[in-house]
Amino acid sequence: MSQSVQIKNALISVYYKDHLEPVIQELKRLGVTIYSTGGTETFIRSLGAEVVAVEDLTSYPSILGGRVKTLHPKVFGGILARRGMEGDEQQLAQYEIPQIDLVIVDLYPFEETVKSGAAEGDVIEKIDIGGISLIRAAAKNFKDVVIVASKDDYSELENILKTQNGETSFDQRRRFAQKAFNISSHYDTAIFQYFNTEESLPVFKQSIQTSQTLRYGENPHQQGTFYGNLNAMFTKLHGKELSYNNLVDVDAAVALIDEFTDPTIAILKHTNACGIATRSFIKEAWIDALACDPVSAFGGVIIANDEVNEETAIEISKIFFEVLIAPAYTDEALRVLKEKKNRIILIRQAVELGTKQFKTLLNGVIEQDKDLVIEGPEQMTTVTDKQPTEQELKDLFFANKVVKHTKSNTVVLAKNNQLLASGVGQTSRVDALRQAIAKAESFGFDLKGAVMTSDAFFPFPDCVEIAADAGITAVLQPGGSIKDQDSINMANQKGIAMVTTGVRHFKH
C-alpha cells in the first residue's frame, strides 16, 4: 500500500471555476503537468499556466456536442492504474499513458437546473457522464490518486500543495475519496428522484448534504444531528443553538401556523398547542392564546404569522419561553426580546417544504404523504336536526385545524377563534374530553356556546352527552362509525348541532 504520493500529473475539468486560480498557481509552481478540456483548458491558459489538451493525449476530439470528452482509456487508464503493480505499469508504458495523480472534477448543476423549472431536455443535458465516471475512478484508486470533486475543497487542496509541496498522505487521499463518493451518491439520488416523481419504483432514497450537530438528542445521554439547511429556513437573531427537542416543537409549530391566514399566535409544548388564538391584531392574538393555559406556556415555543411589534414583545416577554418565531419583528420589539440572552429569536424565511414525511421504525422506514387536507364549512355535513350557526361553523373550522395538529386521541374545545382547552394523547376519547373540560374550567372559561372537535368518530353517545351538559353547542367529527346514529340521536336529544367531514386526522 502506497502511503505518500507526489503529484506530478493532474487532470482538471470543472463547471465551477470559482477559487480555482490559487490551486492552478500552486500546480504551476510545483511543475505539475496539467491536462484539461474545453472551458477549463482556456481558463488555465489565461492564468499563464501550461496545459495539455485531453484531445492531444487521446488523439480524439471532443464529440457529440461535448458529451464525450474524457471517456477514453488514456484518461481512465492513467487514473485507475495501480502504482507498484508490474502489469499495470507495463501497460501504461506500452500504450503511452501518463499516471494521473490528481483529478479535479465537479459535476453539471443538475439539481439547480431542476429547481429552475427548466424543460426536461435541458435537465437531461445536465446529467453528467464523464464527470461522474472520473470522480468514481479516482476515488476508487485513492491509494494512489487525489480526487477533488467540489470547489468547497479547493482551499484544503491549496494548503496541501503549499505546505507539503505536492505530496499527499494516504489519510488525506482517503478523506478526499470519502467526500467524492458522498457527492456522487447524492448526485445519483437527485437524478433518481427526478425520474421517480410518480413513485413508479417503490424504494426509499434520501440524500441531504448539510448537517448540524446538536447539543444532544431527546435526552442528554443521546447524540443528536439535524440533517438539512436550517439557515435557509430561519434567520436566527438571538439566543442559544436550537436543541433536538426545540426542533421537534418548531416543526410542529410551523405546520400548525400554516393553517391560518389572519393574525394568529400559537404556543406549543411537546408538539401540542397549549394556546392559540386568531384576532385582528397580533397583540390580542397573543393575550388570548396565553389565556388558554398560562401554566403550560412556560418554556414553550411561540409562533406568529404576522410581524411582532413592541407592544406584543413586551407582553410576550412577561413569560419564560424557549423559542419565538415570526416572519418579521420591529426594531423596538427586538430590543425588548433580546434582553434575555438565551431566548431563541427566529425569522422564518419563505421555503417550500416537502410533501412527504418519514421516520425509522423497527428494521426499516415508514413514509407517507403529509396531511395537507383541512375541511372548512363547505365540507361539513350537518347530521342533526339543529343546524350550526355561522359563528359555530367558523369555530368548528378553527378547532378542526388544531385537532389536525394535536396528538391522538384528542378533543379540542374552542370559541370565537380561541382555543379554550384540549385533551391530548389519551387512550380514551372520553378521558380526552374530560381532561379538556377540566382544563377549560380551571382557567375560568365558560363553555356555554363553545364547540367541540374530535380526530375520530364517536361510536358511543357518552362524549356528546358530556359535552352538551358542559355547555357545548356544536360538535364536529369525521363520521364513519356503524354506531354514528347513537351519537346523532344524543345530539338531537340535547338540542345541539353535529357535523361530519368524512376525513380523519389521527396524529400518533
Side-chain angles (χ1 to χ4, degrees), residues 220-232:
H221 62 274
Q222 296 169 271
Q223 291 184 335
T225 306
F226 174 79
Y227 294 96
N229 186 0
L230 280 177
N231 293 331

Side-chain angles (χ1 to χ4, degrees), residues 169 316 358 499:
S169 70
I316 292 175
F358 59 88
V499 302

Side-chain angles (χ1 to χ4, degrees), residues 12 14 16-29 34 40 43-44 46-49 104 151 154-155 158 161-162:
I12 307 175
V14 295
Y16 296 105
K17 299 167 184 65
D18 317 47
H19 312 299
L20 181 61
E21 180 178 353
V23 172
I24 301 300
Q25 297 299 353
E26 283 301 312
L27 294 174
K28 177 183 175 183
R29 178 183 68 83
I34 300 174
T40 308
F43 175 76
I44 294 170
S46 73
L47 300 177
I104 304 176
K151 62 182 180 180
Y154 289 170
S155 61
E158 179 192 354
L161 295 173
K162 280 183 177 179

Side-chain angles (χ1 to χ4, degrees), residues 87-141:
D88 284 11
E89 293 191 348
Q90 284 178 350
Q91 288 187 324
L92 291 182
Q94 178 182 355
Y95 296 109
E96 298 180 337
I97 300 173
Q99 288 184 348
I100 296 176
D101 315 296
L102 168 65
V103 175
I104 304 176
V105 174
D106 60 11
L107 299 170
Y108 292 150
F110 177 82
E111 288 181 278
E112 293 85 344
T113 305
V114 172
K115 289 177 182 177
S116 73
E120 182 163 277
D122 295 326
V123 171
I124 299 303
E125 286 306 310
K126 289 298 185 289
I127 297 177
D128 208 313
I129 303 301
I132 201 81
S133 301
L134 290 167
I135 288 171
R136 290 176 64 85
K140 176 178 180 176
N141 203 25

